[in-house]
Amino acid sequence: MKHSKLSLALFVFILSFNFFQAQEKIGHENSVLWKIEREDLKEPSYLFGTLHMMCENDFAIPEKVNNAINKVDALVLEVNLTDPNEMHEFQESLSNTKKISEEISKEQYHELDSLVTEVMGVPLEAFDGYGLSILHAMLITKMLPCSTFKSFENELSEMASKSKKPVLSLEKASQQIEILKNAYPSDFAFKQLMLFQSYKKDFNDAIAAYKKENIATTVALITKEKYMDENATELMQIGRNQKWAEKMPQMMKERSNLFAVGAAHLVGKYGVIHLLREAGYVVSPVIK
């Protein structure tokens, strides 16, 4: 597999499995795009909740998002995939991966081998050197009923590049990789892999809900209790959201931005929408 495709797949794994254990449910209107305003801001910024991968036939950037990116000064992603230094760091991390056969027991290996052979058409041995996290990313691409898919982050980055707008980030690739390692110890990563068929159904149902801009249903489907534990919730979701909400105000003072992050980061008590509102910002849905 080419590095670029593998890199996208692993980023999708990191970005997609975001959890909301032990959070108060806070209602939100059905919208994937939100305007951020406050008196001290010269221009509003926008917050766009994405699903990181879709089949090409399902994929479409809403017109209101096109309008938003045309209005702002910069695009801000979770990680800047257009930065060669970021991608170099990320790809270096791929070469320092523990073998799958060294991460799990013989019994687990045999069980996983059956799943991988069924889904990928080749035995687990072919992927042994990739490690569990990268294998997980590769399996996610098999959850979609297509061979050609698109990413909001890639498409938005291309739009920003064409209009000569900078692409910035909320965190570094190296930070995401470190979080992933700590959030997904071997036994937990194995359990998530073995939930492939269940997550495949929920992931595709989430895409259908997302296309209707029903972010509550979208997030509920991909954050079911069986897909999470307290450790992953704190590391992958709550802690990152809090850091982003602390970083975003200074970025908004300097320029207007379109922040594009996974939809699961938007909602709930520790969601970015609520955290920004607590900080005094008016965050309102963009309906059209």
Side-chain angles (χ1 to χ4, degrees):
M1 177 178 286
K2 294 181 179 180
H3 266 309
S4 59
K5 189 173 181 180
L6 180 56
S7 297
L8 173 60
L10 185 50
F11 271 115
V12 169
F13 167 60
I14 296 170
L15 304 176
S16 293
F17 283 77
N18 298 307
F19 308 125
F20 274 102
Q21 188 179 38
Q23 288 206 48
E24 293 178 14
K25 291 186 177 180
I26 297 176
H28 293 293
E29 294 88 343
N30 285 345
S31 180
V32 296
L33 183 68
W34 298 72
K35 180 187 284 189
I36 308 170
E37 299 171 288
R38 202 169 71 172
E39 288 184 0
D40 59 339
L41 299 181
K42 293 180 181 179
E43 299 290 340
S45 285
Y46 295 86
L47 179 62
F48 175 39
T50 74
L51 277 186
H52 300 290
M53 183 183 291
M54 285 188 189
C55 289
E56 186 173 26
N57 291 340
D58 286 323
F59 185 88
I61 296 178
E63 186 59 30
K64 61 186 178 182
V65 176
N66 285 322
N67 293 337
I69 198 169
N70 287 331
K71 292 177 183 177
V72 299
D73 299 320
L75 170 67
V76 183
L77 305 175
E78 294 182 28
V79 170
N80 184 3
L81 302 179
T82 68
D83 184 341
N85 293 327
E86 286 293 293
M87 293 310 298
H88 177 71
E89 266 191 43
F90 176 73
Q91 290 174 354
E92 273 196 341
S93 72
L94 300 184
S95 62
N96 298 318
T97 305
K98 197 173 183 180
K99 290 184 177 180
I100 294 172
S101 57
E102 297 172 350
E103 291 190 73
I104 58 179
S105 68
K106 290 182 179 179
E107 291 77 11
Q108 289 174 323
Y109 188 94
H110 178 72
E111 191 176 352
L112 185 57
D113 181 43
S114 297
L115 172 66
V116 170
T117 301
E118 177 185 352
V119 174
M120 304 293 286
V122 291
L124 179 57
E125 182 181 8
F127 307 100
D128 193 33
Y130 285 109
L132 288 173
S133 296
I134 297 174
L135 175 62
H136 204 163
M138 296 167 74
L139 287 178
I140 286 178
T141 65
K142 296 296 183 180
M143 292 180 180
L144 296 172
C146 60
S147 57
T148 305
F149 47 82
K150 284 192 171 185
S151 155
F152 279 108
E153 287 71 19
N154 280 359
E155 298 300 315
L156 291 172
S157 295
E158 289 183 10
M159 291 170 64
S161 178
K162 288 179 181 177
S163 58
K164 301 188 184 304
K165 296 185 179 186
V167 180
L168 309 173
S169 67
L170 291 167
E171 59 192 13
K172 299 289 187 181
S174 57
Q175 293 175 311
Q176 283 202 344
I177 295 297
E178 188 62 26
I179 290 169
L180 178 66
K181 289 178 181 177
N182 293 326
Y184 287 82
S186 298
D187 282 346
F188 183 61
F190 170 77
K191 289 178 182 177
Q192 295 306 304
L193 280 161
M194 297 311 300
L195 288 171
F196 174 85
Q197 295 298 342
S198 174
Y199 196 86
K200 177 180 178 180
K201 181 182 184 305
D202 287 333
F203 187 45
N204 282 282
D205 287 346
I207 290 173
Y210 181 84
K211 289 169 65 179
K212 298 176 182 177
E213 298 201 30
N214 189 335
I215 60 170
T217 298
T218 300
V219 173
L221 284 164
I222 60 177
T223 61
K224 289 183 177 179
E225 187 172 353
K226 60 185 175 182
Y227 303 134
M228 64 187 172
D229 67 8
E230 187 175 351
N231 177 60
T233 301
E234 179 61 41
L235 293 176
M236 293 287 287
Q237 195 69 38
I238 296 175
R240 293 169 73 204
N241 287 356
Q242 291 171 332
K243 288 178 181 177
W244 296 352
E246 291 172 359
K247 187 174 183 178
M248 290 167 70
Q250 183 59 41
M251 299 178 80
M252 290 189 286
K253 281 185 179 180
E254 294 173 358
R255 64 181 67 83
S256 60
N257 306 279
L258 172 62
F259 297 96
V261 302
H265 288 284
L266 268 58
V267 302
K269 179 182 178 181
Y270 297 104
V272 175
I273 292 173
H274 185 64
L275 293 175
L276 289 176
R277 284 174 172 171
E278 283 193 322
Y281 292 90
V282 176
V283 187
S284 53
V286 180
I287 305 302
K288 294 182 180 180

